[in-house]
Amino acid sequence: MIVGAQWGDEGKGKITDLLAERADAVIRFQGGNNAGHTIVRNGETWKFHLMPSGILYPGKTCVIGNGVVVDPKVLTEELDELRHRGVDTSGLRVSANAHLIMPYHMMLDDAGEARLGKLKIGTTRRGIGPAYADKASRIGIRVQDLLDEKILKKKIVAALEPKRLALRPFARDPRLDLQSITEEYLAYGRRLYEHIADTTTLVWDRLDDDQIVIFEGAQGALLDLDHGTYPFVTSSNPIAAAACIGSGVGPKDIDEVWGICKAYSTRVGSGPFPTELDGELGEELRQRGGEFGTTTGRSRRTGWLDLVALRYAARLNSMTALVVTKLDVLSGLDKIKVCTSYRGEDGAVFETYPYHQTVLHHASGEYVELDGWSEDISDARSEDELPENARAYLRFMEEFIGVPIVLISVGPGREQTMWTAAGLETAPGRAIPAA
Ligand code: IMP
């Protein structure tokens, strides 16, 4: 399983894509098109929002699990683009039980943010929260409903009914016309028909045959609805436990949980970020790391690596291995800080992640300063090609978190990746062999 160990955007797509070569299936289990991942393959760039990362391997089984919220417009557009660029998409399977994002969910997302004003969450405005809310309220519309006109229409009416007041500002919006929504969604159903499946059984069959299945998380632990920085979180659970619910397997089916983290921190949207760098250095990291959202194009907030939050993410996920991405972005810094504890407003020191929102909002990072390196490391292909200080940085992380680093990424390209000694030593015996 691949999960985000920070606030999302850690590079999960690249790592999943890399590992997918050896896997029989890749399955997404939560989130929706609020996610975005960029894959660079042979100099070509691909940006996906809903599509599981293994899709670039011809015919690979790529599953959108029941826990995902699907905007069928986005999905059909991604399918069109892939086909247009000559990619075989026959392996895509979409759970019939996955919930749909409807036009009114996007309107409610917008209206909700506008209503919150200064307190807004900074959502991606893709309708994610309202779609999951309908699912929990049992008035959601599922992928299978796209295949039955009568049921679809009835369910749309039932879903719109309790929203009448909130949707009043959009009363004349043509996007809310019952007949046109129904027709539009039936057309998506026809387009997606060949991909709609009982994906739970599909995954069970793969596992029963001892095949390799990769579970691909979206967002990251600190955006988890239950364990993240609520209310500044997403509306699903990006942590490992959710993979079981969002795909239909049991916890014992999971052999490995790999947490992906950047060598520094970023966050999009509002909410506490104790290691945030506001000034010039923050801007420099943003520029060097290309820290602009794949989905919304928004500037990401940047900061030093937060080991308190990372250790919390490791425990939440039962992380068995760590993958560090974007190490190259830190090259050229004289000193690099890593946050090892927080200091609260009253001077109290926190070695662990504070559960109380107020404490977290006022906490600032306490740092250890490590020596930087000046070399460009984007061409390094093995750990011993890294400068000693870069290796020391990774060692510090690993020892603090207590989870071995198995892979290091030093650029967006597929080849800009190296296995560590720990990765090489253990990978061949693990579920996923080393490349
Ligand atoms: P929502 O998921 O669109 O409701 O947004 C809720 C919060 O999660 C906002 O702060 C978003 O910026 C953040 N978020 C959602 N998806 C991602 C992602 O893929 N990467 C980073 N942040 C995300």
Side-chain angles (χ1 to χ4, degrees):
M1 187 186 310
I2 304 291
V3 288
Q6 295 163 315
W7 281 274
D9 309 315
E10 300 92 349
K12 296 177 290 293
K14 172 183 165 171
I15 304 303
T16 308
D17 178 62
L18 191 78
L19 299 180
E21 188 171 8
R22 308 286 181 108
D24 298 290
V26 178
I27 175 163
R28 272 199 61 182
F29 55 88
Q30 47 72 230
N33 59 311
N34 49 348
H37 43 253
T38 309
I39 296 168
V40 180
R41 184 89 71 88
N42 304 326
E44 250 195 293
T45 301
W46 301 81
K47 287 184 193 288
F48 300 122
H49 298 288
L50 259 174
M51 206 54 80
S53 291
I55 198 74
L56 296 180
Y57 297 97
K60 176 90 60 190
T61 304
C62 288
V63 180
I64 294 181
N66 57 276
V68 175
V69 283
V70 177
D71 183 330
K73 181 169 189 287
V74 174
L75 185 58
T76 46
E77 280 169 4
E78 288 192 354
L79 268 172
D80 283 346
E81 193 197 333
L82 282 159
R83 281 183 198 150
H84 181 71
R85 289 171 75 176
V87 177
D88 171 9
T89 56
S90 61
L92 177 71
R93 293 291 175 272
V94 184
S95 168
N97 288 348
H99 280 248
L100 292 169
I101 295 182
M102 306 297 290
Y104 43 84
H105 291 139
M106 282 169 273
M107 296 174 186
L108 291 172
D109 201 350
D110 270 340
E113 287 286 87
R115 205 172 37 244
L116 283 169
K118 265 191 2 211
L119 298 176
K120 73 174 183 196
I121 296 159
T123 74
T124 59
R125 312 252 175 156
R126 301 295 190 264
I128 305 295
Y132 276 117
D134 272 2
K135 174 178 177 176
S137 302
R138 289 155 296 179
I139 50 170
I141 296 170
R142 297 190 291 174
V143 167
Q144 57 185 277
D145 300 325
L146 294 174
L147 306 177
D148 187 324
E149 181 171 357
K150 234 165 82 191
I151 286 185
L152 179 64
K153 210 175 215 166
K154 240 186 181 149
K155 289 195 174 180
I156 296 174
V157 172
L160 281 170
E161 179 54 32
K163 301 179 179 64
R164 265 205 280 176
L165 192 63
L167 288 173
R168 199 179 280 164
F170 304 94
R172 279 167 209 214
D173 195 311
R175 287 174 301 168
L176 276 186
D177 177 69
L178 178 63
Q179 194 53 34
S180 33
I181 304 182
T182 312
E183 275 165 25
E184 183 188 345
Y185 275 65
L186 285 171
Y188 295 138
R190 287 190 291 274
R191 283 290 318 281
L192 295 174
Y193 179 73
E194 62 185 294
H195 300 287
I196 300 174
D198 171 3
T199 53
T200 296
T201 306
L202 182 154
V203 174
W204 288 347
D205 290 346
R206 297 281 189 290
L207 293 175
D208 290 347
D209 286 347
D210 275 337
Q211 294 188 6
I212 298 172
V213 178
I214 298 184
F215 296 84
E216 179 186 17
Q219 291 87 42
L222 282 311
L223 287 175
D224 187 274
L225 180 60
D226 287 79
H227 299 282
T229 54
Y230 191 90
F232 302 101
V233 293
T234 191
S235 295
S236 68
N237 297 98
I239 60 171
C244 295
I245 298 163
S247 66
V249 305
K252 287 190 169 173
D253 285 316
I254 311 294
D255 301 309
E256 298 272 335
V257 181
W258 289 19
I260 318 298
C261 72
K262 281 185 209 180
Y264 51 98
S265 305
T266 64
R267 144 159 233 177
V268 204
S270 326
F273 187 6
T275 66
E276 183 161 17
L277 286 163
D278 298 313
E280 237 170 74
L281 197 51
E283 183 56 30
E284 194 181 329
L285 275 183
R286 183 173 309 119
Q287 293 301 334
R288 274 145 57 104
E291 297 297 353
F292 302 92
T294 315
T295 299
T296 58
R298 288 182 290 177
S299 290
R300 296 179 185 145
R301 299 157 67 192
T302 52
W304 294 120
L305 181 65
D306 182 343
L307 291 180
V308 181
L310 189 57
R311 193 159 55 186
Y312 176 62
R315 186 67 185 88
L316 279 172
N317 282 293
S318 297
M319 212 180 272
T320 57
L322 203 55
V323 175
V324 180
T325 62
K326 292 196 153 182
L327 185 63
D328 55 304
V329 174
L330 294 182
S331 294
L333 295 175
D334 190 32
K335 296 281 178 195
I336 306 174
K337 289 185 181 182
V338 286
C339 169
T340 51
S341 61
Y342 298 150
R343 189 170 291 275
E345 215 177 11
D346 58 355
V349 173
F350 295 87
E351 308 274 349
T352 55
Y353 210 71
Y355 73 89
H356 203 289
Q357 200 194 338
T358 314
V359 172
L360 195 57
H361 272 272
H362 295 106
S364 55
E366 296 280 295
Y367 298 94
V368 168
E369 202 171 66
L370 302 174
D371 290 328
W373 58 92
S374 55
E375 297 90 332
D376 174 5
I377 58 170
S378 55
D379 289 330
R381 294 295 174 267
S382 73
E383 227 183 338
D384 50 356
E385 289 173 34
L386 292 175
E388 177 48 35
N389 288 347
R391 278 184 282 162
Y393 185 76
L394 296 169
R395 226 174 299 129
F396 190 91
M397 275 178 83
E398 199 169 47
E399 278 166 20
F400 194 95
I401 305 299
V403 176
I405 297 172
V406 291
L407 262 177
I408 303 161
S409 167
V410 288
R414 236 175 150 246
E415 66 297 342
Q416 291 175 296
T417 316
M418 66 199 90
W419 292 88
T420 64
L424 283 173
E425 198 179 293
T426 49
R430 286 168 177 252
I432 296 162

